[in-house]
Amino acid sequence: MTDLTKSGPMGLNGLTACEASAKIEKKEITSEELVRECLDRIEARDPLVQAWDFIDPNYALEQAKALDGEEVRRGPLHGVPVAIKDIFDTKDMPTGHGFPPYKGAASNGDSTCVSQLRDAGMVILGKSVTTEFACPSPRKTVNPHDFSRTPGVSSSGSAAAVADFMVPLANGTQTGGSVIGPAANCGVYGFKASLDGINRGGLRHCKPSIDTIGLFARSLEDLVLMYSVQTARRSVEATDTLRIGIVRTSDWNETEPCMQKAILEVGKILGKTGAVVSEVELPQIFTDIIPDFSIVNGWEATVALETEISNHLDSFNPHNRERVEFVSGLTEVDYKNSMKVLSKARLEMDRLFESFDLFLSPALSGEAPIGLTEVRTATFARLWTQMYTPSVCVPISEGPNGLPVCVQMIGSRNSDQQTLANAKQVDDQLKGALGEVPSRV
């Protein structure tokens, strides 16, 4: 995989969030020094990667200086910078939603997840690129490992900024696969919470039955810490003997040989380290619900975007216009029926998880494809979003083209803290067995 540390200025921006926090607490570095070196990296690299929609360097440094001057740390990530996906409102920065008519539009206040990070003493570094209202239609961001390849959608800017050492942490959202997909394409750790695992208050245009908040980092330890800070929930201990189910899903034949090999290798390693590993065949219901996801997604999107549809329909990209057209052929009965089908499937998934602590599945079908418009479908992430289950992207391998090949660890719904703890144990075991990470598959 491309060694991005050799692609631009590297210094404190190369620290993980946990490393940076420890150094700030010990007064070995200041938040201002850390933020300044992140900004240096952004200045050098973002003209190429295009991960940011808004950056005000002076204001970022102003925040850092103010936090350095506080005598009492507000939390364990005090002074550490974070990128905010540009669909979350920020009281002191514009929120454009990736939508041309809203470019530079002011926000009235912070979305709840932003205020939680701000109150915890984090530096809101800037707004990372999102696709238009977080739809699966790419914008300008490229994959930092290979500019000819996609970084994924819709949290493309967040994943690319973290991967390229511009910022140690970022947030995002997932409707289908918009956290796990970009994390996998860019080779970083990604976490998608349960439906309400991270407070969605103040998330405008939210599809209440699907949209979920997620996090990006360069280590699983960072994800655990950021989730704890974000939610004020303490981390927990990992399960002693993990019961892991390998879930290939009905789309297994779509996966590239490198992904199939990675899944099998990870399963074998975990079995040798003491986990109980077995195959899981999903019932047919989990294939049958794919159309129902599209109905619920489309219906709730048109409700959330009612004002924009009335005032700016001609400004929508083709995907969003097609979605409006699709929903025009639906009725409320169709929507309610699909909601019932998905609720039934979630109960079935709950029963499956009674016998497992984690499911192991592909994060994507393989390496990031060539072409910014060649976006992988959310085949291996969409199901878990529908089921409200937390999931973690673990970048453990690289494929034949030197691009990341990532697996996904999924826990039962509303088990976010336990899933993160168990995923960290898995990550530690994989690194201990493989030695050099990522390993070539």
Side-chain angles (χ1 to χ4, degrees):
M1 194 151 37
T2 307
D3 184 358
L4 293 175
T5 64
K6 297 178 180 179
S7 299
M10 284 298 297
L12 299 179
N13 60 299
L15 296 172
T16 66
C18 288
E19 291 167 344
S21 176
K23 287 181 177 294
I24 291 172
E25 184 175 18
K26 295 175 183 176
K27 300 190 183 302
E28 295 176 0
I29 64 172
T30 64
S31 175
E32 180 186 355
E33 290 169 338
L34 172 61
V35 168
R36 194 176 295 280
E37 298 201 6
C38 287
L39 292 170
D40 288 345
R41 177 78 179 194
I42 292 169
E43 183 180 17
R45 287 282 290 176
D46 201 52
L48 301 171
V49 178
Q50 300 189 72
W52 299 86
D53 262 337
F54 179 83
I55 283 279
D56 182 340
N58 290 332
Y59 181 57
L61 290 169
E62 182 183 316
Q63 292 179 69
K65 291 175 184 177
L67 290 166
D68 283 334
E70 294 184 4
E71 294 184 4
V72 179
R73 284 168 59 86
R74 300 191 204 174
L77 287 174
H78 185 102
V80 176
V82 59
I84 303 298
K85 183 177 179 179
D86 196 32
I87 61 167
F88 294 110
D89 283 348
T90 40
K91 64 183 180 182
D92 44 13
M93 300 175 187
T95 303
H97 301 276
F99 189 49
Y102 287 176
K103 183 176 176 62
S107 305
N108 294 324
D110 286 339
S111 296
T112 301
C113 65
V114 176
S115 64
Q116 289 170 333
L117 299 176
R118 195 190 299 274
D119 291 345
M122 298 191 71
V123 175
I124 309 302
L125 191 61
K127 307 300 285 290
S128 55
V129 169
T130 178
T131 59
E132 182 178 295
F133 299 115
C135 79
S137 185
R139 280 184 61 217
K140 60 184 181 178
T141 309
V142 301
N143 192 313
H145 296 286
D146 182 340
F147 296 161
S148 70
R149 296 176 186 261
T150 178
V153 292
S154 64
S155 306
S156 49
S158 291
V162 171
D164 201 64
F165 297 96
M166 299 179 189
V167 67
L169 298 170
N171 71 0
T173 58
Q174 179 159 307
T175 303
S178 296
V179 170
I180 298 302
N185 278 321
C186 295
V188 297
Y189 291 87
F191 171 69
K192 181 205 77 71
S194 297
L195 184 66
D196 290 308
I198 296 175
N199 194 314
R200 297 181 295 166
L203 174 56
R204 285 189 283 159
H205 314 111
C206 178
K207 298 179 282 297
S209 300
I210 302 176
D211 286 347
T212 311
I213 296 177
L215 311 173
F216 297 89
R218 289 194 299 274
S219 78
L220 234 162
E221 184 181 17
D222 282 2
L223 284 182
V224 171
L225 183 58
M226 187 178 180
Y227 182 80
S228 176
V229 168
Q230 181 81 79
T231 62
R233 298 171 187 158
R234 293 184 178 181
S235 56
V236 299
E237 295 295 322
T239 303
D240 287 338
T241 301
L242 289 174
R243 300 166 301 165
I244 296 176
I246 298 178
V247 180
R248 300 170 188 262
T249 82
S250 60
D251 299 295
W252 180 253
N253 289 337
E254 293 183 14
T255 56
E256 297 171 4
C258 59
M259 177 57 75
Q260 295 185 8
K261 183 177 178 181
I263 290 291
L264 297 176
E265 183 177 29
V266 167
K268 188 180 298 183
I269 290 171
L270 296 178
K272 290 180 179 179
T273 59
V276 178
V277 181
S278 56
E279 298 274 351
V280 178
E281 185 171 346
L282 294 179
Q284 182 63 32
I285 186 174
F286 297 112
T287 300
D288 295 341
I289 61 175
I290 293 175
D292 296 289
F293 167 76
S294 298
I295 290 171
V296 171
N297 182 24
W299 186 273
E300 293 193 354
T302 57
V303 172
L305 294 169
E306 182 179 7
T307 299
E308 289 75 18
I309 292 170
S310 297
N311 299 331
H312 302 290
L313 181 59
D314 290 344
S315 297
F316 277 12
N317 65 25
H319 173 87
N320 280 330
R321 287 199 299 271
E322 289 170 9
R323 183 161 58 181
V324 172
E325 180 65 25
F326 167 69
V327 173
S328 69
L330 300 176
T331 67
E332 189 171 2
V333 172
D334 295 324
Y335 167 67
K336 290 182 176 179
N337 285 340
S338 289
M339 287 286 284
K340 290 178 183 177
V341 170
L342 290 173
S343 293
K344 180 180 178 182
R346 289 181 196 112
L347 293 176
E348 179 64 25
M349 185 62 73
D350 291 344
R351 283 191 284 270
L352 285 176
F353 264 109
E354 290 175 0
S355 301
F356 296 93
D357 301 301
L358 287 175
F359 284 161
L360 166 65
S361 187
L364 288 173
S365 55
E367 295 175 288
I370 294 175
L372 299 185
T373 60
E374 300 300 317
V375 178
R376 301 279 192 197
T377 58
T379 302
F380 294 101
R382 178 179 53 210
L383 172 62
W384 313 115
T385 315
Q386 294 171 33
M387 296 299 100
Y388 301 164
T389 53
S391 55
V392 183
C393 173
V394 180
I396 207 70
S397 305
E398 66 176 41
N401 297 298
L403 275 295
V405 174
C406 304
V407 301
Q408 185 177 190
M409 309 301 300
I410 305 105
S412 59
R413 60 170 159 168
N414 300 322
S415 69
D416 295 39
Q417 295 149 283
Q418 193 65 61
T419 298
L420 280 166
N422 289 343
K424 185 180 183 306
Q425 176 172 290
V426 166
D427 187 53
D428 290 342
Q429 291 171 340
L430 292 175
K431 288 177 178 176
L434 293 171
E436 185 178 353
V437 174
S439 62
R440 180 61 68 98
V441 291

